Amino acid sequence: DQTLPLTISNAPTEWINADVTVNLTATDNLSGVERTYYCVDNDNICMPAIQGNYATISEEGIHYLRYYSRDMAGNNESAKSAQVKIDKTEPEISIISPESRNYSYTEDFATNFSATDNLSGINTTTAALDGILTNNLQTIDLFDFNLGTHIFAVSASDNAGNEIEQNVPKFNSPLLTYP
């Protein structure tokens, strides 16, 4: 038997927001599979030395699962690598405007908000004033809105599917108070 074994993984190719268990499936049609070895690192340089058919990765970040198998005839396949990307943290939202305060009905303001995500990156960001979608840096003329309390909400999701929503607690027009 001079045929190398073949090992495949089911590592996800996209960002994941939970622990990931990667199964390693080895085949060898002649002498059979003796063992599968793997290792996990952040640099894609480790030497597979852990024996097993699966690896569970829990820490956030970009990880490399390197693996290979040996058949019963002593043939080793070349080490392969699968990238595993985990992001369990929600994005962060910053709302600069509007502020939680009283506004005159004759005032206007420009919405100003941002969302950041340090691992998988931002996928979507949306904002709404009283449920009506608005754009960042959009000028809002309060004369066009009913008097009273208003809600400004920003939602963001990252590329791993983590979601968050943040509201300006309350802002009012015209000069009404809030608790």
Side-chain angles (χ1 to χ4, degrees), residues 96-113:
I96 297 167
S97 178
E99 298 174 44
S100 181
R101 68 172 180 88
N102 291 323
Y103 287 83
S104 165
Y105 71 94
T106 60
E107 282 186 78
D108 60 5
F109 63 85
T111 60
N112 190 347
F113 57 89

Side-chain angles (χ1 to χ4, degrees), residues 6-119:
L6 175 66
T7 309
I8 59 172
S9 81
N10 68 340
T13 57
E14 66 280 347
W15 281 93
I16 301 297
N17 62 9
D19 295 354
V20 174
T21 297
V22 179
N23 294 308
L24 302 171
T25 305
T27 57
D28 185 280
N29 293 332
L30 296 175
S31 62
V33 175
E34 179 185 345
R35 291 190 179 112
T36 299
Y37 298 93
Y38 72 90
C39 63
V40 178
D41 70 6
N42 296 326
D43 301 319
N44 202 21
I45 59 172
C46 66
M47 297 303 294
I50 302 168
Q51 183 179 329
N53 296 324
Y54 69 91
T56 300
I57 303 169
S58 301
E59 292 182 27
E60 288 189 309
I62 298 174
H63 308 279
Y64 294 92
L65 172 65
R66 292 177 47 86
Y67 57 93
Y68 75 93
S69 293
R70 174 182 303 149
D71 68 15
M72 299 298 257
N75 298 311
N76 292 328
E77 70 179 316
S78 297
K80 298 176 183 171
S81 180
Q83 192 178 67
V84 177
K85 302 177 285 190
I86 300 174
D87 178 358
K88 300 178 185 179
T89 305
E90 298 171 337
E92 293 183 13
I93 293 175
S94 173
I95 301 174
I96 297 167
S97 178
E99 298 174 44
S100 181
R101 68 172 180 88
N102 291 323
Y103 287 83
S104 165
Y105 71 94
T106 60
E107 282 186 78
D108 60 5
F109 63 85
T111 60
N112 190 347
F113 57 89
S114 63
T116 57
D117 187 89
N118 293 331
L119 283 174

